[in-house]
Amino acid sequence: LAFHVRGPGYEPVVYQVGPGRAYATIQSAVNAAAAQPASNALVVVFPGAPAQWNPSGVYYENVILYTPVKLQGVGPGGVRNNGSSVLGSVIDGRGVAGDATYAEDWRVFVESLDWDGNQSIYEGPVIYILAQDGEFTNAYPAAIDGFTIQGGDQQGFPNLAPADPGVKNIVAVQGGGIFANAFARYLQITNNILQSNGGAYAGAIRLGTPHLPGAANDNQNDFVRIANNRILANGGTNLAGAIGV
């Protein structure tokens, strides 16, 4: 996992998610961080509260990162050699589909945001990164570290890229684990387990959209670092099964 040693030169504002913490959902903590654009934000996600229907304390969310925060889990969790288990920070994105209230609220929220690059809305990624040009920099690189990311499943026909990337339209549920749309410069994706995700262009990690016309075809996802992840049982229907760049 990434280590965050706070002190002179590194004093992020910490937003804690989990039982007994200030935020019950990951998205609410990201939204709080986005409302304070002058501060560097570290969103720390502890395991959710175990329940009979959710013994692993999974967060059933489709998180939208529209501000350059560091999203930090405490580890992916799992089973030890002796059969005992440890809870981890697990995000499962299977909820944003169909006509459920959550799915509609998700769509309305995304449509309210402003971002640069391809304007089509791709439903279903577990973590969806929508950045404005110049917003993500190396002064405070955005990061996703220490999670299990699962359940981003494609549930619609694998659409081709839209003819006009400047128009906001909703594409059928395309799934995937992490999708960085455009201008997510210096993003770091490290120390995660990405498993059981399926997407139209990439199952686990997708940087940008291929075959866009003109200048839009350069999605400007420059200097992205993908390291020390385990990528298991993911699949893509159009292009990459694991990582699509």
Side-chain angles (χ1 to χ4, degrees), residues 162-184:
D164 185 352
V167 175
K168 283 188 180 181
N169 60 287
I170 297 177
V171 182
V173 178
Q174 301 293 282
I178 298 172
F179 173 28
N181 180 64
F183 297 99

Side-chain angles (χ1 to χ4, degrees), residues 104-119:
E104 181 59 25
D105 290 345
W106 186 93
R107 296 181 194 111
V108 170
F109 182 58
V110 175
E111 289 176 324
S112 73
L113 301 174
D114 293 318
W115 67 90
D116 290 324
N118 187 6
Q119 294 295 295

Side-chain angles (χ1 to χ4, degrees), residues 28-180:
S28 63
V30 172
N31 294 348
Q36 304 294 329
S39 63
N40 296 329
L42 173 62
V43 175
V44 180
V45 181
F46 294 89
Q52 183 176 5
W53 60 272
N54 183 15
S56 298
V58 173
Y59 291 89
Y60 288 97
E61 297 189 51
N62 298 80
V63 180
I64 305 162
L65 288 185
Y66 57 102
T67 187
V69 305
K70 294 185 186 297
L71 194 62
Q72 182 64 59
V74 300
V79 180
R80 301 185 182 95
N81 290 336
N82 63 6
S84 64
S85 61
V86 60
L87 295 179
S89 301
V90 183
I91 314 176
D92 190 301
R94 69 188 67 194
V96 61
D99 57 359
T101 300
Y102 176 79
E104 181 59 25
D105 290 345
W106 186 93
R107 296 181 194 111
V108 170
F109 182 58
V110 175
E111 289 176 324
S112 73
L113 301 174
D114 293 318
W115 67 90
D116 290 324
N118 187 6
Q119 294 295 295
S120 291
I121 299 170
Y122 293 83
E123 295 182 320
V126 183
I127 300 177
Y128 193 6
I129 302 161
L130 298 171
Q132 296 182 351
D133 188 4
E135 184 180 20
F136 284 48
T137 72
N138 64 347
Y140 188 80
I144 302 167
D145 183 277
F147 291 91
T148 289
I149 298 169
Q150 63 188 31
D153 296 328
Q154 181 182 337
Q155 299 178 39
F157 186 81
N159 303 58
L160 298 176
D164 185 352
V167 175
K168 283 188 180 181
N169 60 287
I170 297 177
V171 182
V173 178
Q174 301 293 282
I178 298 172
F179 173 28

Side-chain angles (χ1 to χ4, degrees), residues 4-12:
H4 299 270
V5 181
R6 301 177 68 195
Y10 184 66
E11 286 285 358

